[in-house]
Amino acid sequence: MPVEHAAIIGAGISGLTVALALSRRGISSEIFEQAGELTDVGAGLQVSPNASRILAELGILERLSKVWLEPDAIRLISGGSLRQLAAVPAGKFARERWGAPYGVLHRTTLQKVLLAAVSADPLCRLHLGVRINSTLPSFERAADVVIGADGVWSKLRQSIPGSPSPRFSGNIAYRFTIAETEAPGFLDRASVSAFLGGSAHLVCYPLRETGSFNMVAITAGNIAPQAWQSEPTEEQRTQLRARLSGWNAAIVSLLEKNRKLTFWPLFETTTGSWQDGRKTVLIGDAAHAMMPFAAQGAAMAIEDAYELAAFLSNRSAAEALALFERHRTPRIAKLRQRGAFNRFAYHAKGPIRIGRDLVLGLKPPLSLAADLDWIYGYRAVDLP
Ligand SMILES: Cc1cc2nc3c(=O)[nH]c(=O)nc-3n(C[C@H](O)[C@H](O)[C@H](O)COP(=O)(O)OP(=O)(O)OC[C@H]3O[C@@H](n4cnc5c(N)ncnc54)[C@H](O)[C@@H]3O)c2cc1C
């Protein structure tokens, strides 16, 4: 039976993108979002060419390009000496090599642009303030396919036997912003900079929409589960200080002085089934929340959304969901491995760090770019 109508749980990046992608295939959808309104949640987002290519196809790239920044490069910098270790060219180079732009923006900006497109689309209907628990509303039961785009704490998972579970990754993100006018000179206004030091790294880039730098430091750490997205306690600040020993004083003082630090424990999901063999499927963080060490979580959500819609366009739901899972699992597993490798390399200490710096120093920018071809050059199925 062809798929004509979908129910989507969650209006984050994956939920809104899948609604638009389904509409392109003539499939209507109802989206159920627990929030009464979509407010400023999250931080900055790097949108790599594999994702921006899809956003172009869905007709929203032009609006994003007007507000985002296309960084000149992604720079890896020593957190101790502030010396550049390596740089992957982006900007015009990204458009030429990977056929689509690399942009940075606030997550909310992307969500709002997606939301505007969904609201203008007669095949998509959004219901705000509707939280889906285990019982499904009657209008959802009429759907040919039910898509769980409800994030790392997904409730829809309960209806899929053997589905993944969330677990604390052992990593904490400390997030803050600095007004561009107050940013010290060593923060590059045209690039994404990742400062690397033993036990931690700090990613910084300017957000044009807010006139500020998005700053996220990631280290190992412990949590109380209820501490999600709160201000760090004095003890947690002390933990962070200890992780930054040996770092350049200018960076340490940026973190020390900033009283508005947000403490953000990072959760990921275990592996497990994403679909029930019938009509229910998970996408984005609901299926495979991952650590941000490769900056690919939202990009994977966008790829999932586009490819799921492609598979649903000409098959029964059961066939399409099985194919979707088979097709996406290896790519997600490979990205997780890259994320784990980056974590190891970014937080390296002692001789491993010295070796890392030597290897990076010897790699020409083109060779660094070639290492990323399989991620950024990826063309989702059915992309023209
Ligand atoms: C520090 C950090 C930096 C990151 N940087 C990057 C980056 O640079 N590039 C990148 O690609 N990715 C990045 N990511 C990952 C990215 O943010 C996520 O992978 C992505 O936002 C997941 O989108 P999603 O739509 O699947 O889930 P979510 O954004 O979590 O959306 C889920 C939606 O479902 C709704 N919902 C939940 N439960 C229910 C329910 N029961 N009923 C109804 N609605 C419900 C929620 O309110 C929410 O709106 C980063 C993540 C972190 C933590």
Side-chain angles (χ1 to χ4, degrees):
M1 203 180 73
V3 173
E4 291 175 354
H5 183 65
I8 301 168
I9 322 304
I13 307 303
S14 53
L16 293 170
T17 309
V18 79
L20 284 182
L22 287 169
S23 166
R24 296 292 147 127
R25 312 275 175 176
I27 300 171
S28 61
S29 64
E30 302 213 32
I31 311 156
F32 305 100
E33 166 58 48
Q34 64 184 2
E37 60 176 320
L38 298 180
T39 49
D40 289 6
V41 180
L45 209 58
Q46 303 176 53
V47 178
S48 50
N50 46 319
S52 68
R53 193 181 350 271
I54 293 172
L55 298 174
E57 179 57 22
L58 295 177
I60 65 160
L61 183 62
E62 209 184 308
R63 264 171 284 172
L64 296 175
S65 315
K66 283 189 187 138
V67 289
W68 76 13
L69 171 81
E70 285 182 37
D72 290 345
I74 321 299
R75 299 186 194 285
L76 300 181
I77 299 169
S78 159
S81 65
L82 303 187
R83 183 173 65 87
Q84 179 172 301
L85 303 170
V88 181
K92 191 161 161 273
F93 175 91
R95 285 182 176 262
E96 281 164 8
R97 184 170 185 102
W98 297 300
Y102 196 111
V104 295
L105 79 180
H106 200 283
R107 175 187 175 277
T108 311
T109 307
L110 174 57
Q111 196 181 20
K112 281 186 178 154
V113 170
L114 285 166
L115 180 65
V118 161
S119 305
D121 190 319
L123 288 184
C124 307
R125 268 187 70 197
L126 174 63
H127 305 270
L128 292 174
V130 182
R131 182 174 167 77
I132 305 295
N133 288 309
S134 41
T135 47
L136 306 175
S138 55
F139 33 84
E140 194 188 322
R141 270 186 228 120
D144 304 310
V145 61
V146 179
I147 302 171
D150 48 347
V152 66
W153 302 109
S154 171
K155 284 274 180 283
L156 203 73
R157 275 199 208 112
Q158 291 167 11
S159 49
I160 299 180
S163 57
S165 338
R167 68 169 176 217
F168 176 53
S169 68
N171 296 292
I172 309 280
Y174 292 85
R175 199 196 143 229
F176 61 106
T177 56
I178 300 182
E180 244 186 283
T181 47
E182 290 166 20
F186 69 84
L187 290 185
D188 185 339
R189 273 129 178 100
S191 298
V192 173
S193 305
F195 294 90
L196 314 185
S199 313
H201 78 287
L202 171 69
V203 179
C204 319
Y205 50 86
L207 295 175
R208 268 180 60 195
E209 312 102 294
T210 56
S212 62
F213 270 87
N214 178 68
M215 317 277 292
V216 181
I218 300 183
T219 78
N222 309 315
I223 50 147
Q226 68 278 11
W228 191 75
Q229 271 218 358
S230 54
E231 270 193 30
T233 59
E234 260 327 301
E235 193 190 330
Q236 286 154 350
R237 279 182 185 269
T238 310
Q239 245 185 46
L240 174 62
R241 238 169 265 138
R243 302 267 173 212
L244 294 176
S245 86
W247 277 64
N248 191 285
I251 297 188
V252 178
S253 100
L254 274 184
L255 280 141
E256 293 263 300
K257 277 198 301 206
N258 208 297
R259 300 313 296 173
K260 285 202 178 144
L261 267 187
T262 313
F263 175 83
W264 195 352
L266 298 176
F267 284 78
E268 61 189 352
T269 54
T270 57
T271 52
S273 302
W274 300 346
Q275 50 100 21
D276 69 351
R278 220 170 53 84
K279 69 171 203 174
T280 305
V281 63
L282 305 172
I283 63 170
D285 276 11
H288 45 65
M290 56 179 77
M291 290 303 88
F293 291 100
Q296 282 293 308
M300 289 306 105
I302 291 168
E303 286 185 7
D304 279 357
Y306 191 84
E307 297 201 308
L308 177 62
F311 291 138
L312 285 167
S313 66
N314 52 8
R315 283 172 193 84
S316 70
E319 272 179 283
L321 301 194
L323 185 55
F324 169 78
E325 186 174 34
R326 265 204 314 280
H327 175 74
R328 295 291 302 157
T329 304
R331 181 156 168 85
I332 298 294
K334 205 170 161 193
L335 259 158
R336 282 193 152 143
Q337 279 168 12
R338 173 58 68 95
F341 174 78
N342 285 354
R343 184 188 188 283
F344 167 77
Y346 288 1
H347 293 187
K349 289 190 233 177
I352 298 177
R353 190 190 69 207
I354 296 168
R356 174 201 70 194
D357 293 356
L358 271 174
V359 171
L360 282 175
L362 290 172
K363 276 211 164 209
L366 266 182
S367 152
L368 291 166
D371 281 349
L372 293 161
D373 282 347
W374 68 273
I375 305 179
Y376 300 164
Y378 182 75
R379 299 193 86 84
V381 286
D382 263 16
L383 260 186

